[in-house]
């Protein structure tokens, strides 16, 4: 049913992916230059001039897929095995999203002062919150499935 705890965790996954889409993921600044990574672009600016503008739309597509899979999974409560499978697929999508975000932050870090590290922003941590919420949702879905199997065994 929709009032189960795993539904709350799946809603948190969708909310976290929404936060990822609208907030920066990584930033690196100096007094004259700045590099910013968000779900749509990796932008290197110097003053008012844009030096590099790399399209990262694939990050936003992965985040939208993860949010949609989580929302779809909420309404699959009649078929817990399908819910578990969707949870595993969603975990894979979010791990790929996390990996690509880290890779792009390393790419952006090489634009200027490679010895200086940038700072991860809210978007990066939103992926981590989404992953943790997805793992917890999968755990509670498995627990429900085990309770149903134990109840059927008793009959």
């Amino acid at each position: 049913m929709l009032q189960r705890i795993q539904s709350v965790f799946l809603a948190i996954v969708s909310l976290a992916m929404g936060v990822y889409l609208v907030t920066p993921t990584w930033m690196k600044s100096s007094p004259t230059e700045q590099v910013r990574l968000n779900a749509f672009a990796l932008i290197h600016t110097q003053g008012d001039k844009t030096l590099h503008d790399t399209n990262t739309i694939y990050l936003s597509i992965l985040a939208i897929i993860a949010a949609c899979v989580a929302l779809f999974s909420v309404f699959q409560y009649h078929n817990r095995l399908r819910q578990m499978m969707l949870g595993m697929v969603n975990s894979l999508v979010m791990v790929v999203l996390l990996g690509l975000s880290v890779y792009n932050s390393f790419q952006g870090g090489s634009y200027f002062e490679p010895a200086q590290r940038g700072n991860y922003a809210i978007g990066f941590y939103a992926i981590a919150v989404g992953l943790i919420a997805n793992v917890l949702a999968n755990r509670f879905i498995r627990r429900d499935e085990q309770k149903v199997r134990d109840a059927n065994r008793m009959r």
Side-chain angles (χ1 to χ4, degrees):
M1 289 194 234
L2 294 178
Q3 68 264 25
R4 297 178 308 162
I5 188 71
Q6 54 264 39
S7 298
V8 173
F9 285 125
L10 291 170
I12 290 171
V13 171
S14 294
L15 183 66
M17 291 301 103
V19 168
Y20 174 77
L21 287 171
V22 297
T23 59
T25 305
W26 177 82
M27 301 167 85
K28 181 177 172 181
S29 300
S30 74
T32 59
E33 293 182 78
Q34 181 180 23
V35 179
R36 297 183 75 194
L37 172 66
N38 60 26
F40 301 99
L42 176 64
I43 303 168
H44 178 205
T45 58
Q46 186 174 26
D48 292 336
K49 188 170 75 171
T50 301
L51 300 177
H52 293 21
D53 188 1
T54 306
N55 187 3
T56 59
I57 195 78
Y58 51 89
L59 296 176
S60 60
I61 291 170
L62 286 172
I64 291 169
I65 289 171
C68 291
V69 168
L71 284 177
F72 181 70
S73 181
V74 168
F75 297 104
Q76 297 299 311
Y77 56 87
H78 291 295
N79 191 344
R80 282 173 298 281
L81 294 177
R82 182 179 299 147
Q83 247 186 341
M84 285 189 283
M85 189 260 318
L86 288 171
M88 288 185 290
V89 167
N90 209 12
S91 291
L92 180 65
V93 169
M94 286 191 286
V95 165
V96 169
L97 177 62
L98 184 66
L100 287 173
S101 294
V102 169
Y103 173 76
N104 282 316
S105 69
F106 283 129
Q107 292 294 105
S110 66
Y111 285 161
F112 71 95
E113 297 179 19
Q116 179 190 4
R117 294 176 25 158
N119 298 318
Y120 289 106
I122 294 171
F124 180 80
Y125 298 111
I127 301 170
V129 167
L131 271 169
I132 292 168
N134 195 52
V135 167
L136 290 172
N138 287 341
R139 182 175 182 179
F140 285 107
I141 292 167
R142 275 194 309 273
R143 184 177 290 167
D144 276 358
E145 181 64 20
Q146 190 63 38
K147 284 180 183 178
V148 168
R149 286 183 182 176
D150 289 344
N152 285 340
R153 203 175 305 144
M154 295 289 215
R155 291 181 187 177

